[in-house]
Amino acid sequence: MRWRATVAVAASLAFLGACSSKSDEASDKPSATAAPSTASPSSAAPASASPEDAAKAAVLASYNAMWVEQMKAYHKADASGTDLEKYATLDALGKVRIDLARMKERGTVIRGDMGHQVTVTKLDLSAKTPTAAMTDCVDLSHWQTWDTKANKPIPLPSAQPMHYLAQVKAERWDGGKWMITDFTTKGSEPCGG
């Protein structure tokens, strides 16, 4: 039973499950005085790119930066010292923090990295708050949940596809910063790998 719970936690850790409502989003939005992100979305595309291409590059830069910070947190089962709050909404951060607390309780961390191949599938720049949707092909082939108490890996369930789909949503907030607002896994839907 402990093994199943740990595996379930490990699987859920890979995914931000932020479901923010419109009323919550206003309180999540950073102020104009927020520190600039290390991955500058505005510098992600050449100046000659169309507004749509520039927006796609910017949202991908934010998502990839969030991904790096998320992996840092999972490697040590602790979000301190990461910049997750620069790329994900408060709801998403709350979910990650709950997952990290569960990891600490169970004595697990992540070794290796989760790969991914993300594509912007929808972009609405005309909305009051511009939105983007992405499809990600998550790659577990270099991902390992590690039991720090027993000092050994916890294998993934045999039925778990090594590559499967995830759906991601983002919004562009004041100042042009893209924030990840939702990450929904489709763990039973394999994708290319």
Side-chain angles (χ1 to χ4, degrees), residues 20 25 28-30 37 41 58-59 62-63 66 83-90 92-93 129-132 134 168-174 176-182:
S20 54
E25 289 167 5
D28 286 354
K29 293 185 183 183
S37 65
V59 73
S62 288
Y63 178 65
M66 182 213 65
D83 288 327
L84 276 166
E85 68 280 353
K86 290 183 180 181
Y87 309 105
T89 64
L90 289 177
L93 290 173
T129 300
T131 60
M134 294 170 273
V168 185
K169 293 180 183 176
E171 292 181 350
R172 187 173 68 194
W173 289 356
D174 295 338
K177 183 176 185 176
W178 285 93
M179 296 293 287
I180 306 308
T181 60
D182 188 41

PDB file of all heavy atoms in Angstrom, residues 20 25 28-30 37 41 58-59 62-63 66 83-90 92-93 129-132 134 168-174 176-182:
ATOM      1  N   SER A  20      -7.214  27.521 -11.480  1.00  0.00           N
ATOM      2  CA  SER A  20      -7.565  28.803 -10.881  1.00  0.00           C
ATOM      3  C   SER A  20      -8.809  29.367 -11.543  1.00  0.00           C
ATOM      4  O   SER A  20      -8.997  29.250 -12.730  1.00  0.00           O
ATOM      5  CB  SER A  20      -6.404  29.789 -11.007  1.00  0.00           C
ATOM      6  OG  SER A  20      -5.986  29.905 -12.334  1.00  0.00           O
ATOM      7  N   GLU A  25      -7.562  34.538 -10.042  1.00  0.00           N
ATOM      8  CA  GLU A  25      -6.457  34.987 -10.878  1.00  0.00           C
ATOM      9  C   GLU A  25      -6.064  36.415 -10.583  1.00  0.00           C
ATOM     10  O   GLU A  25      -4.891  36.760 -10.616  1.00  0.00           O
ATOM     11  CB  GLU A  25      -6.827  34.839 -12.355  1.00  0.00           C
ATOM     12  CG  GLU A  25      -6.875  33.381 -12.758  1.00  0.00           C
ATOM     13  CD  GLU A  25      -7.538  33.165 -14.089  1.00  0.00           C
ATOM     14  OE1 GLU A  25      -7.889  34.147 -14.768  1.00  0.00           O
ATOM     15  OE2 GLU A  25      -7.715  32.000 -14.465  1.00  0.00           O
ATOM     16  N   ASP A  28      -3.746  36.456  -7.799  1.00  0.00           N
ATOM     17  CA  ASP A  28      -2.484  35.787  -8.085  1.00  0.00           C
ATOM     18  C   ASP A  28      -1.542  36.664  -8.900  1.00  0.00           C
ATOM     19  O   ASP A  28      -0.349  36.442  -8.896  1.00  0.00           O
ATOM     20  CB  ASP A  28      -2.715  34.520  -8.904  1.00  0.00           C
ATOM     21  CG  ASP A  28      -3.305  33.394  -8.087  1.00  0.00           C
ATOM     22  OD1 ASP A  28      -3.452  33.524  -6.867  1.00  0.00           O
ATOM     23  OD2 ASP A  28      -3.600  32.375  -8.711  1.00  0.00           O
ATOM     24  N   LYS A  29      -2.092  37.608  -9.639  1.00  0.00           N
ATOM     25  CA  LYS A  29      -1.282  38.361 -10.577  1.00  0.00           C
ATOM     26  C   LYS A  29      -0.238  39.197  -9.859  1.00  0.00           C
ATOM     27  O   LYS A  29      -0.527  39.874  -8.887  1.00  0.00           O
ATOM     28  CB  LYS A  29      -2.161  39.266 -11.447  1.00  0.00           C
ATOM     29  CG  LYS A  29      -3.046  38.444 -12.378  1.00  0.00           C
ATOM     30  CD  LYS A  29      -3.817  39.310 -13.304  1.00  0.00           C
ATOM     31  CE  LYS A  29      -4.737  38.468 -14.167  1.00  0.00           C
ATOM     32  NZ  LYS A  29      -5.461  39.222 -15.129  1.00  0.00           N
ATOM     33  N   PRO A  30       1.002  39.134 -10.369  1.00  0.00           N
ATOM     34  CA  PRO A  30       2.061  39.899  -9.727  1.00  0.00           C
ATOM     35  C   PRO A  30       1.886  41.382  -9.976  1.00  0.00           C
ATOM     36  O   PRO A  30       1.321  41.797 -10.973  1.00  0.00           O
ATOM     37  CB  PRO A  30       3.327  39.365 -10.407  1.00  0.00           C
ATOM     38  CG  PRO A  30       2.867  38.833 -11.729  1.00  0.00           C
ATOM     39  CD  PRO A  30       1.458  38.374 -11.516  1.00  0.00           C
ATOM     40  N   SER A  37      11.777  37.925 -14.479  1.00  0.00           N
ATOM     41  CA  SER A  37      12.153  36.517 -14.522  1.00  0.00           C
ATOM     42  C   SER A  37      13.519  36.356 -15.161  1.00  0.00           C
ATOM     43  O   SER A  37      13.956  37.187 -15.933  1.00  0.00           O
ATOM     44  CB  SER A  37      11.106  35.729 -15.317  1.00  0.00           C
ATOM     45  OG  SER A  37      11.115  36.139 -16.658  1.00  0.00           O
ATOM     46  N   PRO A  41      10.785  36.393 -21.391  1.00  0.00           N
ATOM     47  CA  PRO A  41       9.945  36.022 -22.511  1.00  0.00           C
ATOM     48  C   PRO A  41      10.058  36.988 -23.676  1.00  0.00           C
ATOM     49  O   PRO A  41       9.966  36.588 -24.811  1.00  0.00           O
ATOM     50  CB  PRO A  41       8.527  36.032 -21.934  1.00  0.00           C
ATOM     51  CG  PRO A  41       8.714  35.834 -20.479  1.00  0.00           C
ATOM     52  CD  PRO A  41      10.032  36.498 -20.163  1.00  0.00           C
ATOM     53  N   ALA A  58       7.449  33.383 -26.125  1.00  0.00           N
ATOM     54  CA  ALA A  58       7.434  33.876 -24.743  1.00  0.00           C
ATOM     55  C   ALA A  58       6.734  32.898 -23.805  1.00  0.00           C
ATOM     56  O   ALA A  58       7.216  32.641 -22.700  1.00  0.00           O
ATOM     57  CB  ALA A  58       6.759  35.250 -24.681  1.00  0.00           C
ATOM     58  N   VAL A  59       5.596  32.343 -24.233  1.00  0.00           N
ATOM     59  CA  VAL A  59       4.880  31.401 -23.366  1.00  0.00           C
ATOM     60  C   VAL A  59       5.693  30.112 -23.200  1.00  0.00           C
ATOM     61  O   VAL A  59       5.760  29.541 -22.112  1.00  0.00           O
ATOM     62  CB  VAL A  59       3.436  31.129 -23.856  1.00  0.00           C
ATOM     63  CG1 VAL A  59       3.399  30.261 -25.091  1.00  0.00           C
ATOM     64  CG2 VAL A  59       2.603  30.504 -22.744  1.00  0.00           C
ATOM     65  N   SER A  62       8.452  30.794 -20.647  1.00  0.00           N
ATOM     66  CA  SER A  62       7.941  30.770 -19.273  1.00  0.00           C
ATOM     67  C   SER A  62       7.681  29.350 -18.806  1.00  0.00           C
ATOM     68  O   SER A  62       8.019  28.980 -17.684  1.00  0.00           O
ATOM     69  CB  SER A  62       6.664  31.600 -19.151  1.00  0.00           C
ATOM     70  OG  SER A  62       6.960  32.965 -19.244  1.00  0.00           O
ATOM     71  N   TYR A  63       7.064  28.542 -19.656  1.00  0.00           N
ATOM     72  CA  TYR A  63       6.773  27.162 -19.296  1.00  0.00           C
ATOM     73  C   TYR A  63       8.060  26.369 -19.049  1.00  0.00           C
ATOM     74  O   TYR A  63       8.190  25.650 -18.059  1.00  0.00           O
ATOM     75  CB  TYR A  63       5.935  26.496 -20.388  1.00  0.00           C
ATOM     76  CG  TYR A  63       5.625  25.050 -20.105  1.00  0.00           C
ATOM     77  CD1 TYR A  63       4.843  24.687 -19.023  1.00  0.00           C
ATOM     78  CD2 TYR A  63       6.133  24.044 -20.923  1.00  0.00           C
ATOM     79  CE1 TYR A  63       4.557  23.351 -18.756  1.00  0.00           C
ATOM     80  CE2 TYR A  63       5.849  22.715 -20.665  1.00  0.00           C
ATOM     81  CZ  TYR A  63       5.072  22.366 -19.585  1.00  0.00           C
ATOM     82  OH  TYR A  63       4.797  21.058 -19.320  1.00  0.00           O
ATOM     83  N   MET A  66       9.587  27.418 -15.798  1.00  0.00           N
ATOM     84  CA  MET A  66       8.849  26.828 -14.681  1.00  0.00           C
ATOM     85  C   MET A  66       9.245  25.362 -14.513  1.00  0.00           C
ATOM     86  O   MET A  66       9.452  24.873 -13.404  1.00  0.00           O
ATOM     87  CB  MET A  66       7.347  26.933 -14.912  1.00  0.00           C
ATOM     88  CG  MET A  66       6.529  26.371 -13.749  1.00  0.00           C
ATOM     89  SD  MET A  66       4.972  25.595 -14.237  1.00  0.00           S
ATOM     90  CE  MET A  66       5.513  24.193 -15.184  1.00  0.00           C
ATOM     91  N   ASP A  83      12.531  29.437  -8.132  1.00  0.00           N
ATOM     92  CA  ASP A  83      11.778  30.592  -8.612  1.00  0.00           C
ATOM     93  C   ASP A  83      10.429  30.184  -9.200  1.00  0.00           C
ATOM     94  O   ASP A  83       9.944  30.799 -10.149  1.00  0.00           O
ATOM     95  CB  ASP A  83      12.596  31.355  -9.660  1.00  0.00           C
ATOM     96  CG  ASP A  83      13.767  32.102  -9.065  1.00  0.00           C
ATOM     97  OD1 ASP A  83      13.646  32.568  -7.918  1.00  0.00           O
ATOM     98  OD2 ASP A  83      14.806  32.225  -9.744  1.00  0.00           O
ATOM     99  N   LEU A  84       9.811  29.157  -8.652  1.00  0.00           N
ATOM    100  CA  LEU A  84       8.515  28.698  -9.163  1.00  0.00           C
ATOM    101  C   LEU A  84       7.476  29.806  -9.199  1.00  0.00           C
ATOM    102  O   LEU A  84       6.681  29.884 -10.127  1.00  0.00           O
ATOM    103  CB  LEU A  84       8.000  27.538  -8.308  1.00  0.00           C
ATOM    104  CG  LEU A  84       8.535  26.166  -8.666  1.00  0.00           C
ATOM    105  CD1 LEU A  84       8.226  25.171  -7.555  1.00  0.00           C
ATOM    106  CD2 LEU A  84       7.959  25.691  -9.980  1.00  0.00           C
ATOM    107  N   GLU A  85       7.487  30.673  -8.192  1.00  0.00           N
ATOM    108  CA  GLU A  85       6.460  31.724  -8.116  1.00  0.00           C
ATOM    109  C   GLU A  85       6.554  32.728  -9.262  1.00  0.00           C
ATOM    110  O   GLU A  85       5.616  33.468  -9.502  1.00  0.00           O
ATOM    111  CB  GLU A  85       6.525  32.444  -6.764  1.00  0.00           C
ATOM    112  CG  GLU A  85       7.761  33.281  -6.560  1.00  0.00           C
ATOM    113  CD  GLU A  85       9.007  32.519  -6.140  1.00  0.00           C
ATOM    114  OE1 GLU A  85       8.916  31.307  -5.860  1.00  0.00           O
ATOM    115  OE2 GLU A  85      10.089  33.124  -6.102  1.00  0.00           O
ATOM    116  N   LYS A  86       7.645  32.740  -9.978  1.00  0.00           N
ATOM    117  CA  LYS A  86       7.776  33.641 -11.128  1.00  0.00           C
ATOM    118  C   LYS A  86       7.036  33.124 -12.355  1.00  0.00           C
ATOM    119  O   LYS A  86       6.809  33.874 -13.297  1.00  0.00           O
ATOM    120  CB  LYS A  86       9.250  33.831 -11.488  1.00  0.00           C
ATOM    121  CG  LYS A  86      10.027  34.625 -10.471  1.00  0.00           C
ATOM    122  CD  LYS A  86      11.447  34.828 -10.955  1.00  0.00           C
ATOM    123  CE  LYS A  86      12.262  35.629  -9.957  1.00  0.00           C
ATOM    124  NZ  LYS A  86      13.636  35.844 -10.438  1.00  0.00           N
ATOM    125  N   TYR A  87       6.695  31.839 -12.356  1.00  0.00           N
ATOM    126  CA  TYR A  87       6.136  31.232 -13.558  1.00  0.00           C
ATOM    127  C   TYR A  87       4.786  30.556 -13.367  1.00  0.00           C
ATOM    128  O   TYR A  87       4.134  30.221 -14.340  1.00  0.00           O
ATOM    129  CB  TYR A  87       7.127  30.200 -14.113  1.00  0.00           C
ATOM    130  CG  TYR A  87       8.511  30.778 -14.261  1.00  0.00           C
ATOM    131  CD1 TYR A  87       9.529  30.453 -13.372  1.00  0.00           C
ATOM    132  CD2 TYR A  87       8.786  31.689 -15.271  1.00  0.00           C
ATOM    133  CE1 TYR A  87      10.789  30.998 -13.492  1.00  0.00           C
ATOM    134  CE2 TYR A  87      10.045  32.245 -15.399  1.00  0.00           C
ATOM    135  CZ  TYR A  87      11.040  31.902 -14.514  1.00  0.00           C
ATOM    136  OH  TYR A  87      12.284  32.460 -14.627  1.00  0.00           O
ATOM    137  N   ALA A  88       4.373  30.302 -12.127  1.00  0.00           N
ATOM    138  CA  ALA A  88       3.133  29.571 -11.872  1.00  0.00           C
ATOM    139  C   ALA A  88       2.238  30.369 -10.930  1.00  0.00           C
ATOM    140  O   ALA A  88       2.723  31.105 -10.077  1.00  0.00           O
ATOM    141  CB  ALA A  88       3.458  28.206 -11.261  1.00  0.00           C
ATOM    142  N   THR A  89       0.938  30.192 -11.081  1.00  0.00           N
ATOM    143  CA  THR A  89      -0.031  30.887 -10.233  1.00  0.00           C
ATOM    144  C   THR A  89       0.038  30.379  -8.799  1.00  0.00           C
ATOM    145  O   THR A  89       0.596  29.314  -8.527  1.00  0.00           O
ATOM    146  CB  THR A  89      -1.462  30.669 -10.758  1.00  0.00           C
ATOM    147  OG1 THR A  89      -1.773  29.283 -10.672  1.00  0.00           O
ATOM    148  CG2 THR A  89      -1.630  31.185 -12.179  1.00  0.00           C
ATOM    149  N   LEU A  90      -0.575  31.120  -7.896  1.00  0.00           N
ATOM    150  CA  LEU A  90      -0.588  30.711  -6.492  1.00  0.00           C
ATOM    151  C   LEU A  90      -1.256  29.349  -6.304  1.00  0.00           C
ATOM    152  O   LEU A  90      -0.815  28.547  -5.475  1.00  0.00           O
ATOM    153  CB  LEU A  90      -1.289  31.757  -5.633  1.00  0.00           C
ATOM    154  CG  LEU A  90      -0.535  33.075  -5.443  1.00  0.00           C
ATOM    155  CD1 LEU A  90      -1.375  34.055  -4.633  1.00  0.00           C
ATOM    156  CD2 LEU A  90       0.808  32.841  -4.780  1.00  0.00           C
ATOM    157  N   ALA A  92      -1.256  26.873  -8.440  1.00  0.00           N
ATOM    158  CA  ALA A  92      -0.280  25.875  -8.890  1.00  0.00           C
ATOM    159  C   ALA A  92       0.807  25.693  -7.842  1.00  0.00           C
ATOM    160  O   ALA A  92       1.216  24.567  -7.548  1.00  0.00           O
ATOM    161  CB  ALA A  92       0.329  26.297 -10.221  1.00  0.00           C
ATOM    162  N   LEU A  93       1.270  26.766  -7.262  1.00  0.00           N
ATOM    163  CA  LEU A  93       2.297  26.675  -6.228  1.00  0.00           C
ATOM    164  C   LEU A  93       1.793  25.924  -5.008  1.00  0.00           C
ATOM    165  O   LEU A  93       2.525  25.135  -4.398  1.00  0.00           O
ATOM    166  CB  LEU A  93       2.765  28.067  -5.814  1.00  0.00           C
ATOM    167  CG  LEU A  93       3.587  28.816  -6.850  1.00  0.00           C
ATOM    168  CD1 LEU A  93       3.841  30.247  -6.384  1.00  0.00           C
ATOM    169  CD2 LEU A  93       4.891  28.110  -7.121  1.00  0.00           C
ATOM    170  N   THR A 129      -7.513  39.102 -21.197  1.00  0.00           N
ATOM    171  CA  THR A 129      -6.303  38.472 -20.668  1.00  0.00           C
ATOM    172  C   THR A 129      -5.909  37.415 -21.689  1.00  0.00           C
ATOM    173  O   THR A 129      -6.569  36.378 -21.800  1.00  0.00           O
ATOM    174  CB  THR A 129      -6.565  37.815 -19.296  1.00  0.00           C
ATOM    175  OG1 THR A 129      -7.008  38.810 -18.374  1.00  0.00           O
ATOM    176  CG2 THR A 129      -5.308  37.150 -18.750  1.00  0.00           C
ATOM    177  N   PRO A 130      -4.854  37.663 -22.487  1.00  0.00           N
ATOM    178  CA  PRO A 130      -4.458  36.694 -23.514  1.00  0.00           C
ATOM    179  C   PRO A 130      -4.160  35.320 -22.910  1.00  0.00           C
ATOM    180  O   PRO A 130      -3.625  35.215 -21.801  1.00  0.00           O
ATOM    181  CB  PRO A 130      -3.198  37.321 -24.114  1.00  0.00           C
ATOM    182  CG  PRO A 130      -3.379  38.792 -23.879  1.00  0.00           C
ATOM    183  CD  PRO A 130      -4.042  38.884 -22.539  1.00  0.00           C
ATOM    184  N   THR A 131      -4.528  34.283 -23.652  1.00  0.00           N
ATOM    185  CA  THR A 131      -4.355  32.917 -23.169  1.00  0.00           C
ATOM    186  C   THR A 131      -3.599  32.081 -24.198  1.00  0.00           C
ATOM    187  O   THR A 131      -3.575  32.394 -25.389  1.00  0.00           O
ATOM    188  CB  THR A 131      -5.712  32.250 -22.894  1.00  0.00           C
ATOM    189  OG1 THR A 131      -6.471  32.232 -24.111  1.00  0.00           O
ATOM    190  CG2 THR A 131      -6.477  32.974 -21.802  1.00  0.00           C
ATOM    191  N   ALA A 132      -3.025  31.004 -23.698  1.00  0.00           N
ATOM    192  CA  ALA A 132      -2.354  30.031 -24.558  1.00  0.00           C
ATOM    193  C   ALA A 132      -2.669  28.641 -24.036  1.00  0.00           C
ATOM    194  O   ALA A 132      -2.858  28.445 -22.834  1.00  0.00           O
ATOM    195  CB  ALA A 132      -0.847  30.263 -24.551  1.00  0.00           C
ATOM    196  N   MET A 134      -1.171  24.585 -24.494  1.00  0.00           N
ATOM    197  CA  MET A 134      -0.035  23.815 -24.991  1.00  0.00           C
ATOM    198  C   MET A 134      -0.300  22.335 -24.784  1.00  0.00           C
ATOM    199  O   MET A 134      -1.027  21.955 -23.867  1.00  0.00           O
ATOM    200  CB  MET A 134       1.243  24.197 -24.245  1.00  0.00           C
ATOM    201  CG  MET A 134       1.690  25.627 -24.490  1.00  0.00           C
ATOM    202  SD  MET A 134       3.022  26.130 -23.379  1.00  0.00           S
ATOM    203  CE  MET A 134       2.076  26.718 -21.972  1.00  0.00           C
ATOM    204  N   VAL A 168      -1.538  21.973 -21.014  1.00  0.00           N
ATOM    205  CA  VAL A 168      -1.069  23.107 -20.220  1.00  0.00           C
ATOM    206  C   VAL A 168      -1.810  24.363 -20.662  1.00  0.00           C
ATOM    207  O   VAL A 168      -2.044  24.565 -21.849  1.00  0.00           O
ATOM    208  CB  VAL A 168       0.460  23.321 -20.412  1.00  0.00           C
ATOM    209  CG1 VAL A 168       0.971  24.421 -19.502  1.00  0.00           C
ATOM    210  CG2 VAL A 168       1.219  22.024 -20.209  1.00  0.00           C
ATOM    211  N   LYS A 169      -2.158  25.217 -19.697  1.00  0.00           N
ATOM    212  CA  LYS A 169      -2.783  26.501 -19.998  1.00  0.00           C
ATOM    213  C   LYS A 169      -1.949  27.614 -19.375  1.00  0.00           C
ATOM    214  O   LYS A 169      -1.333  27.423 -18.323  1.00  0.00           O
ATOM    215  CB  LYS A 169      -4.209  26.564 -19.453  1.00  0.00           C
ATOM    216  CG  LYS A 169      -5.153  25.606 -20.138  1.00  0.00           C
ATOM    217  CD  LYS A 169      -6.541  25.701 -19.559  1.00  0.00           C
ATOM    218  CE  LYS A 169      -7.457  24.662 -20.208  1.00  0.00           C
ATOM    219  NZ  LYS A 169      -8.780  24.674 -19.588  1.00  0.00           N
ATOM    220  N   ALA A 170      -1.956  28.750 -20.036  1.00  0.00           N
ATOM    221  CA  ALA A 170      -1.204  29.902 -19.530  1.00  0.00           C
ATOM    222  C   ALA A 170      -1.962  31.175 -19.850  1.00  0.00           C
ATOM    223  O   ALA A 170      -2.812  31.198 -20.744  1.00  0.00           O
ATOM    224  CB  ALA A 170       0.187  29.951 -20.166  1.00  0.00           C
ATOM    225  N   GLU A 171      -1.661  32.220 -19.100  1.00  0.00           N
ATOM    226  CA  GLU A 171      -2.237  33.548 -19.335  1.00  0.00           C
ATOM    227  C   GLU A 171      -1.121  34.579 -19.332  1.00  0.00           C
ATOM    228  O   GLU A 171      -0.156  34.447 -18.585  1.00  0.00           O
ATOM    229  CB  GLU A 171      -3.227  33.913 -18.223  1.00  0.00           C
ATOM    230  CG  GLU A 171      -4.471  33.090 -18.216  1.00  0.00           C
ATOM    231  CD  GLU A 171      -5.439  33.506 -17.119  1.00  0.00           C
ATOM    232  OE1 GLU A 171      -5.052  34.312 -16.241  1.00  0.00           O
ATOM    233  OE2 GLU A 171      -6.586  33.037 -17.136  1.00  0.00           O
ATOM    234  N   ARG A 172      -1.313  35.601 -20.171  1.00  0.00           N
ATOM    235  CA  ARG A 172      -0.362  36.717 -20.168  1.00  0.00           C
ATOM    236  C   ARG A 172      -0.939  37.817 -19.296  1.00  0.00           C
ATOM    237  O   ARG A 172      -2.007  38.346 -19.552  1.00  0.00           O
ATOM    238  CB  ARG A 172      -0.096  37.239 -21.581  1.00  0.00           C
ATOM    239  CG  ARG A 172       1.027  38.278 -21.598  1.00  0.00           C
ATOM    240  CD  ARG A 172       1.412  38.667 -22.990  1.00  0.00           C
ATOM    241  NE  ARG A 172       0.314  39.410 -23.602  1.00  0.00           N
ATOM    242  CZ  ARG A 172       0.228  39.673 -24.900  1.00  0.00           C
ATOM    243  NH1 ARG A 172       1.145  39.242 -25.735  1.00  0.00           N
ATOM    244  NH2 ARG A 172      -0.787  40.346 -25.369  1.00  0.00           N
ATOM    245  N   TRP A 173      -0.210  38.141 -18.250  1.00  0.00           N
ATOM    246  CA  TRP A 173      -0.650  39.136 -17.297  1.00  0.00           C
ATOM    247  C   TRP A 173      -0.055  40.491 -17.608  1.00  0.00           C
ATOM    248  O   TRP A 173       0.757  40.640 -18.525  1.00  0.00           O
ATOM    249  CB  TRP A 173      -0.272  38.696 -15.886  1.00  0.00           C
ATOM    250  CG  TRP A 173      -1.095  37.532 -15.405  1.00  0.00           C
ATOM    251  CD1 TRP A 173      -2.142  36.925 -16.050  1.00  0.00           C
ATOM    252  CD2 TRP A 173      -0.940  36.832 -14.178  1.00  0.00           C
ATOM    253  NE1 TRP A 173      -2.656  35.903 -15.294  1.00  0.00           N
ATOM    254  CE2 TRP A 173      -1.932  35.829 -14.145  1.00  0.00           C
ATOM    255  CE3 TRP A 173      -0.075  36.956 -13.105  1.00  0.00           C
ATOM    256  CZ2 TRP A 173      -2.077  34.958 -13.065  1.00  0.00           C
ATOM    257  CZ3 TRP A 173      -0.220  36.079 -12.035  1.00  0.00           C
ATOM    258  CH2 TRP A 173      -1.208  35.104 -12.024  1.00  0.00           C
ATOM    259  N   ASP A 174      -0.464  41.488 -16.839  1.00  0.00           N
ATOM    260  CA  ASP A 174       0.048  42.842 -17.016  1.00  0.00           C
ATOM    261  C   ASP A 174       1.568  42.813 -17.070  1.00  0.00           C
ATOM    262  O   ASP A 174       2.206  42.088 -16.322  1.00  0.00           O
ATOM    263  CB  ASP A 174      -0.421  43.755 -15.881  1.00  0.00           C
ATOM    264  CG  ASP A 174      -1.930  43.947 -15.889  1.00  0.00           C
ATOM    265  OD1 ASP A 174      -2.555  43.752 -16.958  1.00  0.00           O
ATOM    266  OD2 ASP A 174      -2.496  44.277 -14.826  1.00  0.00           O
ATOM    267  N   GLY A 176       3.161  41.813 -19.682  1.00  0.00           N
ATOM    268  CA  GLY A 176       3.526  40.854 -20.714  1.00  0.00           C
ATOM    269  C   GLY A 176       4.057  39.528 -20.214  1.00  0.00           C
ATOM    270  O   GLY A 176       4.523  38.718 -21.002  1.00  0.00           O
ATOM    271  N   LYS A 177       3.977  39.275 -18.923  1.00  0.00           N
ATOM    272  CA  LYS A 177       4.519  38.046 -18.346  1.00  0.00           C
ATOM    273  C   LYS A 177       3.515  36.905 -18.469  1.00  0.00           C
ATOM    274  O   LYS A 177       2.361  37.038 -18.078  1.00  0.00           O
ATOM    275  CB  LYS A 177       4.853  38.295 -16.876  1.00  0.00           C
ATOM    276  CG  LYS A 177       5.493  37.126 -16.187  1.00  0.00           C
ATOM    277  CD  LYS A 177       5.874  37.525 -14.781  1.00  0.00           C
ATOM    278  CE  LYS A 177       6.623  36.421 -14.096  1.00  0.00           C
ATOM    279  NZ  LYS A 177       7.091  36.813 -12.784  1.00  0.00           N
ATOM    280  N   TRP A 178       3.955  35.761 -18.994  1.00  0.00           N
ATOM    281  CA  TRP A 178       3.108  34.584 -19.107  1.00  0.00           C
ATOM    282  C   TRP A 178       3.220  33.751 -17.841  1.00  0.00           C
ATOM    283  O   TRP A 178       4.315  33.487 -17.355  1.00  0.00           O
ATOM    284  CB  TRP A 178       3.512  33.742 -20.312  1.00  0.00           C
ATOM    285  CG  TRP A 178       3.089  34.336 -21.613  1.00  0.00           C
ATOM    286  CD1 TRP A 178       3.823  35.165 -22.417  1.00  0.00           C
ATOM    287  CD2 TRP A 178       1.819  34.175 -22.251  1.00  0.00           C
ATOM    288  NE1 TRP A 178       3.084  35.514 -23.519  1.00  0.00           N
ATOM    289  CE2 TRP A 178       1.852  34.921 -23.449  1.00  0.00           C
ATOM    290  CE3 TRP A 178       0.660  33.467 -21.932  1.00  0.00           C
ATOM    291  CZ2 TRP A 178       0.774  34.981 -24.324  1.00  0.00           C
ATOM    292  CZ3 TRP A 178      -0.421  33.521 -22.808  1.00  0.00           C
ATOM    293  CH2 TRP A 178      -0.363  34.274 -23.983  1.00  0.00           C
ATOM    294  N   MET A 179       2.062  33.343 -17.309  1.00  0.00           N
ATOM    295  CA  MET A 179       1.999  32.522 -16.098  1.00  0.00           C
ATOM    296  C   MET A 179       1.277  31.213 -16.424  1.00  0.00           C
ATOM    297  O   MET A 179       0.245  31.217 -17.090  1.00  0.00           O
ATOM    298  CB  MET A 179       1.250  33.257 -14.988  1.00  0.00           C
ATOM    299  CG  MET A 179       1.935  34.522 -14.504  1.00  0.00           C
ATOM    300  SD  MET A 179       3.490  34.227 -13.641  1.00  0.00           S
ATOM    301  CE  MET A 179       2.882  33.563 -12.084  1.00  0.00           C
ATOM    302  N   ILE A 180       1.807  30.112 -15.924  1.00  0.00           N
ATOM    303  CA  ILE A 180       1.177  28.813 -16.107  1.00  0.00           C
ATOM    304  C   ILE A 180       0.036  28.704 -15.094  1.00  0.00           C
ATOM    305  O   ILE A 180       0.242  28.873 -13.899  1.00  0.00           O
ATOM    306  CB  ILE A 180       2.199  27.671 -15.910  1.00  0.00           C
ATOM    307  CG1 ILE A 180       3.418  27.883 -16.814  1.00  0.00           C
ATOM    308  CG2 ILE A 180       1.533  26.314 -16.136  1.00  0.00           C
ATOM    309  CD1 ILE A 180       3.123  28.114 -18.275  1.00  0.00           C
ATOM    310  N   THR A 181      -1.168  28.451 -15.598  1.00  0.00           N
ATOM    311  CA  THR A 181      -2.345  28.412 -14.740  1.00  0.00           C
ATOM    312  C   THR A 181      -2.933  27.025 -14.573  1.00  0.00           C
ATOM    313  O   THR A 181      -3.704  26.787 -13.642  1.00  0.00           O
ATOM    314  CB  THR A 181      -3.455  29.337 -15.300  1.00  0.00           C
ATOM    315  OG1 THR A 181      -3.806  28.890 -16.614  1.00  0.00           O
ATOM    316  CG2 THR A 181      -2.992  30.782 -15.340  1.00  0.00           C
ATOM    317  N   ASP A 182      -2.591  26.083 -15.464  1.00  0.00           N
ATOM    318  CA  ASP A 182      -3.155  24.744 -15.369  1.00  0.00           C
ATOM    319  C   ASP A 182      -2.237  23.750 -16.062  1.00  0.00           C
ATOM    320  O   ASP A 182      -1.638  24.064 -17.096  1.00  0.00           O
ATOM    321  CB  ASP A 182      -4.539  24.704 -16.013  1.00  0.00           C
ATOM    322  CG  ASP A 182      -5.258  23.381 -15.781  1.00  0.00           C
ATOM    323  OD1 ASP A 182      -5.189  22.854 -14.662  1.00  0.00           O
ATOM    324  OD2 ASP A 182      -5.884  22.879 -16.728  1.00  0.00           O
TER     325      ASP A 182
END
